[in-house]
Amino acid sequence: DPVRRQALTVAGVVADTGASQSLKGGDVVLAAGNEPVVSFRGVERAVSMCATEQPLLLSVLRKGEVVDVTCELSEESCAGTGRLLHWAGAQLQPTHRPVAELGFRPTDPSTGAHLDVFISRWYHGSPAQRYGLYALNWVASVNGIPTPTLDSFIDATRSLDDGAFVRLKLISLNARPKVLTVKLDLHYWPTWELRRTTDGTNEWERVLL
C-alpha cells in the first residue's frame, strides 16, 4: 500500500488447515485471487468470491522470491470448547483453537489419525499430579489402545477399576513422546464429563461416567 505503507504478513498458521499446507510464517501476501491485497478485508473478499470447495490462489513473497501457492479453504467453528472430561484429576478436551494456532498437532503413527485428547490442566493432590500427568500433552494411547478422540479415550478407560494402574502414551507440544503409569483413585477422583447442551440453550451439564 503506497499510501499507508503496509503489507499483509503471515504471523503463523493453524494446524490441520489448508493454510498450514501452503503458507509459512513470515510470508508477505501480495495477491489473493489474482487481486493485490494489503489488508484482512482484501483476503476476505477474495475468499468470498471462491466457489464451494474451490481453493484460493495466493501470491506471496517468501525469502526474497515471489511464490504462487494454492490454499485449500475450510470452515472453522468459533463455538469454542464443548466438552471437558475430568479423569484422574486431569482435564481433557478436544484440541482447542489457541493450541492449534501454535501450528502443531500430532498424529497416531500407526493410523495417521490426528490426536484430539489434549490435557489442558491438572489438579493438586490428584493422581494426575502424583504421577506426572501434566498439561500441554496429548494422550495417544491407553494401555496400548489408540485414543485419538475423547470418545475412544472414554471407551478405553470405562471398565478400569479403582486402584488400577493405567499406562499412558503422551505426545508433548514439542512432539516428544513419553510413557507413564497412573494409579486410579475413583473414590476421590471419579471420571465425569462437562458437556455443552445442543438444544440451543448453550448451558452446561455434568455427567458422571
Side-chain angles (χ1 to χ4, degrees):
D1 189 331
V3 177
R4 288 175 290 182
R5 296 182 180 275
Q6 70 177 27
L8 193 61
T9 304
V10 178
V13 294
V14 178
D16 301 335
T17 62
S20 67
Q21 304 299 319
S22 55
L23 296 174
K24 299 181 182 298
D27 285 350
V28 179
V29 181
L30 305 177
N34 296 319
E35 293 293 332
V37 293
V38 292
S39 66
F40 297 121
R41 184 56 183 160
V43 175
E44 290 174 351
R45 283 195 297 268
V47 170
S48 66
M49 296 297 291
C50 290
T52 304
E53 298 184 358
Q54 177 186 350
L56 177 63
L57 301 178
L58 296 169
S59 293
V60 301
L61 181 66
R62 179 180 297 165
K63 295 182 178 180
E65 297 183 359
V66 177
V67 181
D68 293 327
V69 298
T70 301
C71 185
E72 298 292 335
L73 302 178
S74 59
E75 294 184 358
E76 291 291 323
S77 173
C78 60
T81 300
R83 299 177 67 185
L84 295 172
L85 178 67
H86 288 253
W87 182 83
Q91 180 175 283
L92 314 177
Q93 64 183 88
T95 307
H96 48 303
R97 177 74 181 216
V99 175
E101 287 178 352
L102 297 176
F104 170 72
R105 186 176 169 193
T107 58
D108 186 318
S110 60
T111 64
H114 288 287
L115 301 184
D116 208 23
V117 181
F118 186 73
I119 306 172
S120 55
R121 68 173 299 175
W122 49 269
Y123 293 88
H124 288 282
S126 68
Q129 182 196 17
R130 290 198 297 270
Y131 294 95
L133 187 62
Y134 298 142
L136 306 182
N137 287 282
W138 284 271
V139 180
S141 66
V142 174
N143 289 335
I145 302 173
T147 54
T149 65
L150 276 185
D151 289 330
S152 63
F153 180 90
I154 292 172
D155 291 340
T157 58
R158 190 188 300 274
S159 61
L160 298 176
D161 296 326
D162 184 27
F165 286 92
V166 188
R167 187 178 72 257
L168 303 172
K169 179 180 179 181
L170 310 179
I171 306 293
S172 68
L173 278 175
N174 57 10
R176 292 183 178 178
K178 178 173 66 173
V179 177
L180 54 80
T181 299
V182 175
K183 183 180 180 181
L184 294 180
D185 182 355
L186 299 179
H187 178 75
Y188 291 104
W189 299 93
T191 303
W192 55 275
E193 185 177 357
L194 195 62
R195 305 171 184 168
R196 183 158 49 196
T197 59
T198 58
D199 58 4
T201 61
N202 279 330
E203 295 182 349
W204 291 83
E205 60 179 355
R206 184 178 184 270
V207 180
L208 188 66
L209 300 178

Short mmCIF file of all heavy atoms in Angstrom, two decimals, residues 15-16 93-96 99-100 104-119 137-142 145-150 152 169-172 175-177:
data_model
loop_
_atom_site.label_atom_id
_atom_site.label_comp_id
_atom_site.label_asym_id
_atom_site.label_seq_id
_atom_site.Cartn_x
_atom_site.Cartn_y
_atom_site.Cartn_z
N ALA A 15 -2.83 -25.39 12.79
CA ALA A 15 -2.58 -26.78 12.42
C ALA A 15 -3.81 -27.41 11.77
O ALA A 15 -4.95 -27.08 12.11
CB ALA A 15 -2.18 -27.59 13.66
N ASP A 16 -3.57 -28.31 10.81
CA ASP A 16 -4.63 -29.09 10.15
C ASP A 16 -5.55 -28.22 9.30
O ASP A 16 -6.74 -28.50 9.18
CB ASP A 16 -5.47 -29.88 11.16
CG ASP A 16 -4.62 -30.85 11.96
OD1 ASP A 16 -3.57 -31.25 11.45
OD2 ASP A 16 -5.03 -31.20 13.07
N GLN A 93 -9.69 -32.40 26.87
CA GLN A 93 -10.64 -31.79 25.95
C GLN A 93 -10.12 -31.93 24.52
O GLN A 93 -8.93 -32.18 24.31
CB GLN A 93 -10.83 -30.32 26.29
CG GLN A 93 -9.59 -29.47 26.14
CD GLN A 93 -9.83 -28.03 26.55
OE1 GLN A 93 -9.69 -27.67 27.72
NE2 GLN A 93 -10.22 -27.21 25.59
N PRO A 94 -11.01 -31.77 23.54
CA PRO A 94 -10.52 -31.72 22.15
C PRO A 94 -9.55 -30.56 21.97
O PRO A 94 -9.62 -29.57 22.70
CB PRO A 94 -11.81 -31.52 21.34
CG PRO A 94 -12.91 -32.01 22.21
CD PRO A 94 -12.48 -31.70 23.61
N THR A 95 -8.65 -30.70 21.03
CA THR A 95 -7.65 -29.66 20.78
C THR A 95 -8.36 -28.34 20.47
O THR A 95 -9.09 -28.24 19.49
CB THR A 95 -6.74 -30.05 19.60
OG1 THR A 95 -6.20 -31.35 19.85
CG2 THR A 95 -5.62 -29.04 19.43
N HIS A 96 -8.16 -27.32 21.31
CA HIS A 96 -8.86 -26.07 21.11
C HIS A 96 -8.03 -25.10 20.26
O HIS A 96 -6.84 -25.31 20.02
CB HIS A 96 -9.25 -25.42 22.45
CG HIS A 96 -8.17 -25.35 23.46
ND1 HIS A 96 -7.50 -26.46 23.91
CD2 HIS A 96 -7.63 -24.30 24.13
CE1 HIS A 96 -6.60 -26.11 24.81
NE2 HIS A 96 -6.65 -24.80 24.94
N VAL A 99 -4.39 -23.77 20.90
CA VAL A 99 -3.34 -24.78 20.75
C VAL A 99 -3.07 -25.02 19.26
O VAL A 99 -1.92 -25.11 18.84
CB VAL A 99 -3.75 -26.09 21.45
CG1 VAL A 99 -2.72 -27.18 21.18
CG2 VAL A 99 -3.88 -25.86 22.95
N ALA A 100 -4.14 -25.14 18.47
CA ALA A 100 -3.96 -25.34 17.03
C ALA A 100 -3.22 -24.18 16.39
O ALA A 100 -2.48 -24.37 15.41
CB ALA A 100 -5.32 -25.53 16.35
N PHE A 104 1.06 -26.92 15.50
CA PHE A 104 1.42 -28.33 15.60
C PHE A 104 0.30 -29.12 16.22
O PHE A 104 -0.32 -28.71 17.20
CB PHE A 104 2.69 -28.51 16.44
CG PHE A 104 2.99 -29.95 16.78
CD1 PHE A 104 3.46 -30.81 15.80
CD2 PHE A 104 2.80 -30.44 18.06
CE1 PHE A 104 3.73 -32.14 16.09
CE2 PHE A 104 3.08 -31.77 18.36
CZ PHE A 104 3.55 -32.61 17.37
N ARG A 105 0.00 -30.27 15.61
CA ARG A 105 -0.95 -31.22 16.17
C ARG A 105 -0.49 -32.61 15.77
O ARG A 105 -0.40 -32.92 14.59
CB ARG A 105 -2.35 -30.94 15.65
CG ARG A 105 -3.44 -31.77 16.31
CD ARG A 105 -4.78 -31.35 15.80
NE ARG A 105 -5.83 -32.27 16.19
CZ ARG A 105 -7.04 -32.26 15.66
NH1 ARG A 105 -7.33 -31.37 14.72
NH2 ARG A 105 -7.95 -33.12 16.04
N PRO A 106 -0.18 -33.47 16.73
CA PRO A 106 0.42 -34.77 16.40
C PRO A 106 -0.59 -35.75 15.81
O PRO A 106 -1.81 -35.58 15.93
CB PRO A 106 0.93 -35.27 17.75
CG PRO A 106 0.01 -34.64 18.75
CD PRO A 106 -0.33 -33.28 18.18
N THR A 107 -0.07 -36.80 15.18
CA THR A 107 -0.89 -37.86 14.63
C THR A 107 -0.45 -39.19 15.23
O THR A 107 0.68 -39.35 15.69
CB THR A 107 -0.76 -37.93 13.10
OG1 THR A 107 0.63 -38.13 12.75
CG2 THR A 107 -1.26 -36.66 12.46
N ASP A 108 -1.34 -40.15 15.18
CA ASP A 108 -1.02 -41.51 15.62
C ASP A 108 -0.16 -42.15 14.54
O ASP A 108 -0.59 -42.27 13.40
CB ASP A 108 -2.32 -42.30 15.82
CG ASP A 108 -2.07 -43.68 16.40
OD1 ASP A 108 -1.11 -44.34 15.95
OD2 ASP A 108 -2.83 -44.10 17.28
N PRO A 109 1.07 -42.58 14.85
CA PRO A 109 1.95 -43.13 13.82
C PRO A 109 1.42 -44.40 13.17
O PRO A 109 1.76 -44.70 12.03
CB PRO A 109 3.25 -43.40 14.59
CG PRO A 109 2.86 -43.48 16.02
CD PRO A 109 1.70 -42.56 16.17
N SER A 110 0.57 -45.14 13.88
CA SER A 110 0.06 -46.40 13.33
C SER A 110 -1.15 -46.20 12.43
O SER A 110 -1.35 -46.96 11.47
CB SER A 110 -0.30 -47.36 14.47
OG SER A 110 -1.29 -46.80 15.30
N THR A 111 -1.97 -45.18 12.72
CA THR A 111 -3.20 -44.97 11.94
C THR A 111 -3.18 -43.68 11.13
O THR A 111 -3.95 -43.54 10.18
CB THR A 111 -4.43 -44.94 12.87
OG1 THR A 111 -4.33 -43.80 13.75
CG2 THR A 111 -4.50 -46.21 13.71
N GLY A 112 -2.33 -42.72 11.50
CA GLY A 112 -2.31 -41.44 10.82
C GLY A 112 -3.38 -40.48 11.28
O GLY A 112 -3.47 -39.36 10.79
N ALA A 113 -4.23 -40.91 12.24
CA ALA A 113 -5.31 -40.05 12.74
C ALA A 113 -4.74 -38.96 13.63
O ALA A 113 -3.81 -39.19 14.40
CB ALA A 113 -6.32 -40.89 13.51
N HIS A 114 -5.31 -37.77 13.53
CA HIS A 114 -4.88 -36.67 14.39
C HIS A 114 -5.32 -36.92 15.82
O HIS A 114 -6.44 -37.36 16.08
CB HIS A 114 -5.47 -35.35 13.89
CG HIS A 114 -4.85 -34.86 12.62
ND1 HIS A 114 -3.58 -34.32 12.57
CD2 HIS A 114 -5.33 -34.83 11.36
CE1 HIS A 114 -3.30 -33.99 11.33
NE2 HIS A 114 -4.33 -34.29 10.58
N LEU A 115 -4.43 -36.65 16.77
CA LEU A 115 -4.76 -36.81 18.17
C LEU A 115 -5.61 -35.63 18.64
O LEU A 115 -5.30 -34.48 18.35
CB LEU A 115 -3.49 -36.90 19.01
CG LEU A 115 -2.53 -38.05 18.66
CD1 LEU A 115 -1.36 -38.08 19.64
CD2 LEU A 115 -3.26 -39.39 18.66
N ASP A 116 -6.68 -35.95 19.38
CA ASP A 116 -7.61 -34.89 19.78
C ASP A 116 -8.01 -35.02 21.25
O ASP A 116 -9.10 -34.61 21.64
CB ASP A 116 -8.86 -34.92 18.90
CG ASP A 116 -9.52 -33.56 18.77
OD1 ASP A 116 -8.83 -32.54 18.97
OD2 ASP A 116 -10.73 -33.51 18.47
N VAL A 117 -7.12 -35.63 22.06
CA VAL A 117 -7.34 -35.69 23.51
C VAL A 117 -6.20 -34.90 24.15
O VAL A 117 -5.08 -35.39 24.31
CB VAL A 117 -7.34 -37.15 24.02
CG1 VAL A 117 -7.58 -37.17 25.52
CG2 VAL A 117 -8.42 -37.96 23.30
N PHE A 118 -6.49 -33.65 24.49
CA PHE A 118 -5.47 -32.71 24.96
C PHE A 118 -5.66 -32.46 26.44
O PHE A 118 -6.77 -32.19 26.92
CB PHE A 118 -5.58 -31.40 24.18
CG PHE A 118 -4.49 -30.41 24.50
CD1 PHE A 118 -3.19 -30.61 24.03
CD2 PHE A 118 -4.74 -29.29 25.26
CE1 PHE A 118 -2.17 -29.71 24.31
CE2 PHE A 118 -3.73 -28.37 25.56
CZ PHE A 118 -2.45 -28.59 25.07
N ILE A 119 -4.57 -32.53 27.19
CA ILE A 119 -4.61 -32.24 28.63
C ILE A 119 -4.42 -30.74 28.82
O ILE A 119 -3.35 -30.20 28.54
CB ILE A 119 -3.50 -33.01 29.38
CG1 ILE A 119 -3.58 -34.50 29.07
CG2 ILE A 119 -3.63 -32.77 30.89
CD1 ILE A 119 -2.42 -35.29 29.62
N ASN A 137 -0.04 -31.77 26.95
CA ASN A 137 0.27 -33.04 26.30
C ASN A 137 -0.99 -33.60 25.67
O ASN A 137 -2.10 -33.38 26.16
CB ASN A 137 0.83 -34.05 27.30
CG ASN A 137 2.24 -33.74 27.75
OD1 ASN A 137 3.20 -33.99 27.04
ND2 ASN A 137 2.36 -33.18 28.95
N TRP A 138 -0.80 -34.36 24.59
CA TRP A 138 -1.89 -35.15 24.02
C TRP A 138 -1.77 -36.59 24.52
O TRP A 138 -0.65 -37.10 24.69
CB TRP A 138 -1.84 -35.15 22.50
CG TRP A 138 -2.31 -33.92 21.83
CD1 TRP A 138 -3.59 -33.62 21.43
CD2 TRP A 138 -1.52 -32.78 21.44
NE1 TRP A 138 -3.64 -32.38 20.84
CE2 TRP A 138 -2.38 -31.84 20.83
CE3 TRP A 138 -0.16 -32.47 21.56
CZ2 TRP A 138 -1.93 -30.62 20.32
CZ3 TRP A 138 0.30 -31.27 21.08
CH2 TRP A 138 -0.59 -30.35 20.46
N VAL A 139 -2.90 -37.25 24.71
CA VAL A 139 -2.91 -38.67 25.07
C VAL A 139 -3.04 -39.47 23.79
O VAL A 139 -4.06 -39.39 23.09
CB VAL A 139 -4.05 -39.01 26.04
CG1 VAL A 139 -4.02 -40.49 26.40
CG2 VAL A 139 -3.96 -38.15 27.29
N ALA A 140 -2.02 -40.26 23.47
CA ALA A 140 -2.03 -41.03 22.22
C ALA A 140 -2.64 -42.42 22.40
O ALA A 140 -3.27 -42.94 21.48
CB ALA A 140 -0.60 -41.17 21.68
N SER A 141 -2.44 -43.02 23.59
CA SER A 141 -2.98 -44.36 23.81
C SER A 141 -3.13 -44.64 25.29
O SER A 141 -2.48 -44.01 26.13
CB SER A 141 -2.08 -45.42 23.16
OG SER A 141 -0.81 -45.47 23.82
N VAL A 142 -4.00 -45.60 25.61
CA VAL A 142 -4.24 -46.07 26.97
C VAL A 142 -4.06 -47.58 26.99
O VAL A 142 -4.78 -48.30 26.27
CB VAL A 142 -5.66 -45.70 27.45
CG1 VAL A 142 -5.93 -46.33 28.82
CG2 VAL A 142 -5.83 -44.19 27.52
N ILE A 145 -3.98 -49.07 23.64
CA ILE A 145 -5.14 -48.84 22.77
C ILE A 145 -5.11 -47.40 22.28
O ILE A 145 -5.13 -46.47 23.08
CB ILE A 145 -6.45 -49.11 23.52
CG1 ILE A 145 -6.48 -50.55 24.07
CG2 ILE A 145 -7.65 -48.86 22.63
CD1 ILE A 145 -7.66 -50.83 24.97
N PRO A 146 -5.07 -47.15 20.97
CA PRO A 146 -5.06 -45.77 20.45
C PRO A 146 -6.30 -45.00 20.90
O PRO A 146 -7.41 -45.53 20.90
CB PRO A 146 -5.05 -45.96 18.93
CG PRO A 146 -4.49 -47.34 18.72
CD PRO A 146 -4.98 -48.14 19.89
N THR A 147 -6.08 -43.74 21.29
CA THR A 147 -7.19 -42.90 21.76
C THR A 147 -7.14 -41.55 21.04
O THR A 147 -6.82 -40.53 21.65
CB THR A 147 -7.12 -42.69 23.28
OG1 THR A 147 -5.81 -42.18 23.60
CG2 THR A 147 -7.34 -43.99 24.02
N PRO A 148 -7.48 -41.51 19.75
CA PRO A 148 -7.40 -40.24 19.02
C PRO A 148 -8.51 -39.25 19.38
O PRO A 148 -8.38 -38.06 19.13
CB PRO A 148 -7.53 -40.69 17.56
CG PRO A 148 -8.29 -41.97 17.61
CD PRO A 148 -7.84 -42.64 18.88
N THR A 149 -9.61 -39.73 19.98
CA THR A 149 -10.73 -38.85 20.33
C THR A 149 -11.13 -39.05 21.79
O THR A 149 -10.76 -40.05 22.42
CB THR A 149 -11.96 -39.13 19.44
OG1 THR A 149 -12.43 -40.47 19.72
CG2 THR A 149 -11.60 -39.02 17.96
N LEU A 150 -11.92 -38.11 22.32
CA LEU A 150 -12.41 -38.25 23.68
C LEU A 150 -13.26 -39.50 23.84
O LEU A 150 -13.19 -40.19 24.86
CB LEU A 150 -13.22 -37.01 24.08
CG LEU A 150 -12.47 -35.79 24.60
CD1 LEU A 150 -13.45 -34.72 25.06
CD2 LEU A 150 -11.52 -36.14 25.74
N SER A 152 -13.06 -42.33 22.19
CA SER A 152 -12.21 -43.52 22.24
C SER A 152 -11.46 -43.60 23.57
O SER A 152 -11.23 -44.71 24.09
CB SER A 152 -11.23 -43.53 21.06
OG SER A 152 -10.34 -42.41 21.13
N LYS A 169 0.45 -43.23 26.87
CA LYS A 169 1.47 -42.67 25.99
C LYS A 169 1.06 -41.24 25.66
O LYS A 169 -0.05 -40.99 25.21
CB LYS A 169 1.61 -43.47 24.69
CG LYS A 169 2.66 -42.89 23.75
CD LYS A 169 2.79 -43.69 22.46
CE LYS A 169 3.84 -43.06 21.54
NZ LYS A 169 3.97 -43.82 20.26
N LEU A 170 1.97 -40.29 25.90
CA LEU A 170 1.70 -38.87 25.69
C LEU A 170 2.59 -38.33 24.58
O LEU A 170 3.70 -38.83 24.35
CB LEU A 170 1.94 -38.08 26.97
CG LEU A 170 1.29 -38.59 28.26
CD1 LEU A 170 1.65 -37.68 29.42
CD2 LEU A 170 -0.23 -38.67 28.09
N ILE A 171 2.10 -37.28 23.93
CA ILE A 171 2.89 -36.52 22.96
C ILE A 171 2.84 -35.06 23.38
O ILE A 171 1.77 -34.49 23.54
CB ILE A 171 2.35 -36.65 21.51
CG1 ILE A 171 2.24 -38.13 21.11
CG2 ILE A 171 3.25 -35.89 20.55
CD1 ILE A 171 3.56 -38.84 20.99
N SER A 172 4.01 -34.45 23.57
CA SER A 172 4.06 -33.08 24.06
C SER A 172 3.94 -32.06 22.93
O SER A 172 3.94 -32.43 21.74
CB SER A 172 5.37 -32.84 24.82
OG SER A 172 6.47 -32.87 23.92
N ALA A 175 6.50 -32.27 20.34
CA ALA A 175 6.48 -33.55 19.60
C ALA A 175 7.25 -34.67 20.29
O ALA A 175 7.52 -35.69 19.68
CB ALA A 175 6.99 -33.37 18.18
N ARG A 176 7.59 -34.51 21.55
CA ARG A 176 8.32 -35.56 22.26
C ARG A 176 7.36 -36.57 22.89
O ARG A 176 6.44 -36.18 23.62
CB ARG A 176 9.20 -34.94 23.34
CG ARG A 176 10.36 -34.11 22.81
CD ARG A 176 11.23 -33.60 23.93
NE ARG A 176 12.37 -32.85 23.43
CZ ARG A 176 13.27 -32.25 24.19
NH1 ARG A 176 13.16 -32.33 25.51
NH2 ARG A 176 14.27 -31.58 23.65
N PRO A 177 7.56 -37.87 22.64
CA PRO A 177 6.70 -38.89 23.26
C PRO A 177 7.16 -39.21 24.68
O PRO A 177 8.33 -39.04 25.02
CB PRO A 177 6.88 -40.09 22.33
CG PRO A 177 8.27 -39.93 21.79
CD PRO A 177 8.50 -38.44 21.67
#
